[in-house]
Amino acid sequence: MEKEIETFISYLHNVKKTSDNTEMSYKRDLEKLNYFLTTKGIQDVTTVTTEDLDAYVKHLEDHRLATATISRNIASIKTFYHYLMQEGIVTKDVSEKLKAPKIEKKMPEIMTPDEVVRLLEQPGGDSPKEIRDKAMLELLYATGIRVTELISLKTSDINMQMDFIVCKDANKERVIPFGGAAKNALKRYLNGTRESMLEDKKSNILFANCSGQPMSRQGFWKLIKSYAKKADIKADITPHTLRHSFAAHLVENGADLKSVQEMLGHSDISTTQVYANLNHNHIREVYAKAHPRG
């Protein structure tokens, strides 16, 4: 099955133009399946049965993996078999009857406006690192982009005259405005600090690490954790928490869901709907606490 997995990943990369993260996720899931089947003496993809795949899903459940993880593995297997059928490598889709377990939708963790202010005020010094960190945090909260999108930004993606960024992925691009706080932080960073941090002065990357190389996901993860601790925020803050907070605060202050969906880059508005539900829950809590007959 190893050969088929490799050709499938090449197909995703060259034909479907998927992201590196998506390809790594598929490869990781399918390699685990391959290992499981190999331990059962199954190496030829054409001999795999529905029962074999059922046994693998049960194996994942027995190891108490999260429901979302099991669902993702099943989705990877189904996509793989769709490819195998398409290419004529197998004549029967043995993944067809696999069913993903029901996932309990968790409400996203949202920071309060006060917590956001405390976090964003932490890098308040004049060192190049703090100036850069301030710009990154302000821009992340101002636009709600993903951390991968943040660290992938180029200088050409920033329009300082019109106050927006262009965020690109494999299939589309979206334009997201930012406000005065983010603009001031970016201006300060771009006014000499960025160039002083770059190892390659001709590079067009927007945010560099302290070694002059592009910032990594892990590097930014550590950065935000450090500032959350300094701000005395007890909740487990991640880069995605700022994305959730950006969306929830927009909806709470009257932004329409369609606009928030476009800024976040959600393909389905039902994904964005969770922020409206959060707002409704908040309203109910306020009513229950404040109304004399609540």
Side-chain angles (χ1 to χ4, degrees):
M1 187 184 282
E2 286 182 12
K3 179 185 174 184
E4 287 80 11
I5 292 173
E6 288 301 322
T7 57
F8 171 61
I9 300 303
S10 295
Y11 165 78
L12 292 178
H13 183 79
N14 297 317
V15 179
K16 304 300 284 185
K17 306 296 183 184
T18 52
S19 68
D20 291 343
N21 285 343
T22 299
E23 290 163 22
M24 285 190 290
S25 178
Y26 275 118
K27 188 172 184 180
R28 185 169 55 245
D29 291 344
L30 294 172
E31 283 178 344
K32 288 177 182 176
L33 169 66
N34 184 42
Y35 177 79
F36 173 82
L37 294 173
T38 301
T39 62
K40 305 295 181 186
I42 305 166
Q43 295 184 331
D44 188 342
V45 72
T46 62
T47 64
V48 178
T49 65
T50 299
E51 290 73 26
D52 294 326
L53 296 183
D54 284 338
Y56 178 61
V57 173
K58 187 176 185 305
H59 166 76
L60 297 179
E61 291 171 343
D62 290 344
H63 280 73
R64 299 183 181 279
L65 293 184
T67 305
T69 302
I70 296 173
S71 295
R72 192 201 65 229
N73 274 268
I74 291 173
S76 296
I77 293 168
K78 282 179 172 289
T79 306
F80 178 53
Y81 268 90
H82 179 77
Y83 162 78
L84 295 177
M85 288 285 290
Q86 177 182 294
E87 296 297 310
I89 298 170
V90 297
T91 57
K92 181 183 178 183
D93 184 356
V94 293
S95 74
E96 192 174 12
K97 293 184 179 179
L98 284 180
K99 289 186 178 179
K102 288 186 178 179
I103 300 176
E104 287 186 19
K105 285 193 175 181
K106 292 184 178 178
M107 299 304 270
E109 289 290 331
I110 303 297
M111 299 169 69
T112 66
D114 175 65
E115 286 174 330
V116 171
V117 170
R118 278 158 47 202
L119 178 68
L120 299 185
E121 285 181 346
Q122 291 313 303
D126 297 324
S127 69
K129 180 183 182 304
E130 286 185 279
I131 293 172
R132 179 208 64 193
D133 294 351
K134 175 74 169 174
M136 293 187 82
L137 290 173
E138 288 283 4
L139 189 61
L140 191 67
Y141 178 63
T143 59
I145 58 177
R146 302 172 182 90
V147 63
T148 304
E149 294 169 333
L150 177 73
I151 62 176
S152 301
L153 285 173
K154 307 289 189 289
T155 51
S156 56
D157 297 327
I158 308 292
N159 188 316
M160 295 296 287
Q161 283 72 43
M162 302 297 291
D163 303 344
F164 66 79
I165 63 169
V166 178
C167 200
K168 304 168 186 173
D169 61 29
N171 302 314
K172 57 188 175 183
E173 65 178 41
R174 60 192 197 276
V175 174
I176 312 168
F178 55 79
K183 181 171 185 173
N184 290 337
L186 276 169
K187 282 175 70 175
R188 192 177 182 210
Y189 171 65
L190 292 170
N191 189 23
T193 299
R194 171 185 169 273
E195 188 176 356
S196 72
M197 296 188 77
L198 285 173
E199 183 178 56
D200 177 7
K201 305 302 181 186
K202 294 181 181 179
S203 172
N204 64 350
I205 62 169
L206 182 60
F207 294 114
N209 62 22
C210 292
S211 300
Q213 301 298 317
M215 173 71 73
S216 67
R217 285 171 56 90
Q218 293 83 357
F220 187 75
W221 189 281
K222 290 178 182 175
L223 178 158
I224 202 168
K225 292 282 187 185
S226 171
Y227 286 125
K229 187 176 180 180
K230 285 184 180 178
D232 196 30
I233 297 172
K234 305 302 181 188
D236 185 23
I237 302 301
T238 70
H240 222 68
T241 310
L242 272 180
R243 177 172 163 85
H244 288 317
S245 302
F246 157 85
H249 295 165
L250 279 179
V251 172
E252 188 173 351
N253 285 288
D256 66 280
L257 281 182
K258 186 64 179 174
S259 297
V260 176
Q261 177 196 2
E262 290 177 6
M263 285 185 276
L264 291 173
H266 288 163
S267 56
D268 191 334
I269 200 165
S270 65
T271 309
T272 320
Q273 183 68 41
V274 67
Y275 301 109
N277 296 339
L278 273 174
N279 193 35
H280 294 155
N281 290 342
H282 173 68
I283 291 170
R284 280 196 293 269
E285 287 173 11
V286 170
Y287 180 91
K289 288 178 183 177
H291 195 280
R293 295 180 69 84

